[in-house]
Amino acid sequence: KPAVVAPPIRVSVTGLRDWLRCPFRFYLRHALRMRRVEPEKAELDARDFGTLIHAAVQQMASPDLRDLVDPVVLRDHVLKGFEQAVRATYGDLLTLPLLIQFESARQRLRKLAEVEAREREAGWRTDRVEWPFELSLSGLTVRGTIDRVDRNLHDPSRIRVVDYKTSDTGITPASAHLRPLRADDAALPPWRRVRVGGKERVWSDLQLPLYRRAVAVEWGDAVECGYFNLPKATGETALVAWPELDRDLQGAAERCAEGVARSILAGHFWPPAEI
């Protein structure tokens, strides 16, 4: 039996996703602060890999780089930042698994520079990077950090929120946030379900809608959202938008977020879900 403690009053945006996937595992992680122990860890896990990529791409928004449209020059700057991040974190004596992972990261960053150059040719410029925010949902404080916020020079009214994804395969925002209805979903509360394109779906993540709500204070509620996918197959590197995230779907996501917040504060962490 796990210890009984008070529910958390502050969580991250990813914490809401954890609760949607399994309330009991959320309790173990966010209330009891339990963590996986990996004493024989010899290579980067997904979180480590993503952190390293983020450290390399953040510099693209610096004043001396933000207007570069030459993919070769942009690539060289990004790779230079990556090598500095590697040396600062892991030193010069690297194991074979790390060497393989770092080369995979370099391949992804080279392709990222090409895609980023095309986006800049289309007028997009990064206005903010690693932008922290805080929301109050039914009394629960939710915190997050947005990877980047872009503005279009050709149409300054166009603002978009972008989140980098470094999983092995590319994903769409819709598939990451909504899953098909399952046979055991009959008991789910109405706020967890939404009808999209004539089909009923269940919320599995709320990241981009909450990012959109956070930036609405400054940029309004017409902000575009998308993923910058950096998968292992570099040919699939792309900035994938979520055009279906209209006001109705945004409203449904916010109702779900409020429902999750109320459930957390009320201590609803059972039953566990199959993952």
Side-chain angles (χ1 to χ4, degrees):
K1 284 187 176 182
V4 177
V5 299
I9 59 174
R10 296 181 182 85
V11 300
S12 64
V13 171
T14 54
L16 300 187
R17 179 188 63 201
D18 291 343
W19 189 94
L20 287 170
R21 292 183 177 178
C22 178
F24 182 60
R25 289 178 177 83
F26 169 92
Y27 177 76
L28 298 180
R29 180 176 179 83
H30 296 276
L32 296 185
R33 303 293 180 182
M34 294 176 67
R35 295 291 183 270
R36 184 187 305 244
V37 177
E38 298 177 281
E40 298 181 1
K41 181 178 175 182
E43 58 185 9
L44 307 182
D45 58 23
R47 183 182 181 88
D48 296 333
F49 191 84
T51 298
L52 196 58
I53 293 288
H54 278 67
V57 299
Q58 279 183 35
Q59 63 175 327
M60 291 194 304
S62 63
D64 55 334
L65 296 182
R66 69 185 302 269
D67 292 319
L68 279 178
V69 294
D70 186 326
V72 176
V73 177
L74 191 60
R75 177 202 65 196
D76 291 344
H77 279 287
V78 171
L79 289 177
K80 180 180 178 181
F82 174 76
E83 301 301 337
Q84 291 172 344
V86 166
R87 287 195 299 273
T89 306
Y90 300 97
D92 296 320
L93 299 177
L94 304 174
T95 63
L96 180 58
L98 289 179
L99 289 171
I100 294 172
Q101 288 183 301
F102 292 157
E103 182 55 33
S104 174
R106 292 184 188 97
Q107 292 175 7
R108 300 186 198 201
L109 291 172
R110 292 185 187 103
K111 191 63 179 181
L112 173 142
E114 295 180 22
V115 176
E116 177 68 16
R118 291 198 296 269
E119 292 295 318
R120 292 181 177 190
E121 288 282 6
W124 290 105
R125 296 293 185 275
T126 300
D127 192 81
R128 308 275 178 89
V129 292
E130 294 295 309
W131 188 55
F133 68 88
E134 189 173 285
L135 298 171
S136 178
L137 300 175
S138 298
L140 180 72
T141 299
V142 178
R143 295 171 174 171
T145 302
I146 300 173
D147 285 348
R148 60 190 258 189
V149 181
D150 293 352
R151 183 190 302 273
N152 193 288
L153 299 180
H154 304 325
D155 182 359
S157 66
R158 292 187 67 191
I159 304 294
R160 72 180 181 192
V161 167
V162 177
D163 191 68
Y164 292 107
K165 293 298 179 186
T166 55
S167 53
D168 284 348
T169 58
I171 54 176
T172 66
S175 64
H177 287 73
L178 298 160
R179 64 167 176 81
L181 197 67
R182 296 193 296 242
D184 58 349
D185 289 334
L188 291 180
W191 45 263
R192 289 202 58 181
R193 299 156 71 159
V194 63
R195 185 167 290 276
V196 180
K199 297 180 180 179
E200 197 158 25
R201 293 286 185 263
V202 175
W203 288 105
S204 57
D205 196 355
L206 298 163
Q207 182 189 36
L208 289 183
L210 289 182
Y211 283 5
R212 194 186 198 189
R213 173 167 169 169
V215 302
V217 176
E218 184 170 349
W219 285 296
D221 60 359
V223 173
E224 301 171 32
C225 296
Y227 284 163
F228 205 138
N229 280 326
L230 302 171
K232 183 181 292 185
T234 57
E236 298 174 8
T237 301
L239 209 153
V240 183
W242 193 5
E244 299 85 5
L245 185 61
D246 55 17
R247 285 193 172 94
D248 289 340
L249 192 57
Q250 175 73 27
E254 293 189 18
R255 287 191 293 275
C256 182
E258 297 282 356
V260 173
R262 291 192 299 270
S263 297
I264 291 172
L265 293 175
H268 295 163
F269 304 121
W270 196 262
E274 295 293 336
I275 294 181

